[in-house]
Amino acid sequence: EVQLVESGGGLVQTGGSLRLSCVASGFSFDDYSIAWFRQAPGKEREGVSCISSSDGTTYYADSVKGRFTISSNNAKKTVYLQVNSLKAEDTAVYYCAAVRISSCYYSDHSAYQNYKMDYWGRGTLVTVSS
């Protein structure tokens, strides 16, 4: 059974940090690029970050660049999202997703934000309070 299980969300004050984890099972992890998305209440889902399976290159949305860091431990089949300097607008459910494409980015029209992801987790809630 394919699973992506997120954890690490919670309630944090503005300026705080969290480390989100995404544990994968049931598929060939090394062949999949892994992305984090988020969805805030009443807003569209947003691609936050991605790590390419081919070479570990990382990508970030402009809104989180410099504050979030994605990393992967392939031996543990786990992808992390370190989220620092949190703002109220970072409040959202954070999802990890997997796609069998070796790079998160080929062009502005072919990037993880608009890929059809193969697998999704159920999400973990991050709430930032002021």
Side-chain angles (χ1 to χ4, degrees), residues 19-91:
R19 188 174 82 155
L20 309 183
S21 298
C22 171
V23 180
S25 61
F27 62 97
S28 182
F29 182 82
D30 292 351
D31 294 334
Y32 286 73
S33 295
I34 307 294
W36 285 93
F37 293 79
R38 67 184 180 185
Q39 189 163 21
K43 294 191 176 181
E44 290 190 357
R45 187 173 62 204
E46 174 189 20
V48 172
S49 183
C50 186
I51 185 163
S52 296
S53 64
S54 57
D55 59 4
T57 303
T58 58
Y59 298 86
Y60 300 93
D62 288 343
S63 57
V64 307
K65 213 169 281 185
R67 301 188 298 121
F68 290 12
T69 303
I70 191 170
S71 61
S72 179
N73 183 328
N74 285 17
K76 293 186 176 181
K77 298 185 179 182
T78 301
V79 173
Y80 304 97
L81 188 68
Q82 179 69 40
V83 298
N84 298 330
S85 303
L86 283 163
K87 308 174 182 179
E89 52 264 41
D90 294 317
T91 295

Side-chain angles (χ1 to χ4, degrees), residues 80-124:
Y80 304 97
L81 188 68
Q82 179 69 40
V83 298
N84 298 330
S85 303
L86 283 163
K87 308 174 182 179
E89 52 264 41
D90 294 317
T91 295
V93 178
Y94 285 71
Y95 300 89
C96 66
V99 63
R100 194 164 183 164
I101 297 175
S102 60
S103 178
C104 298
Y105 180 88
Y106 290 100
S107 70
D108 287 350
H109 300 290
S110 180
Y112 71 95
Q113 294 98 326
N114 45 41
Y115 289 165
K116 184 179 184 299
M117 308 306 278
D118 294 305
Y119 308 119
W120 288 89
R122 293 189 174 185
T124 186

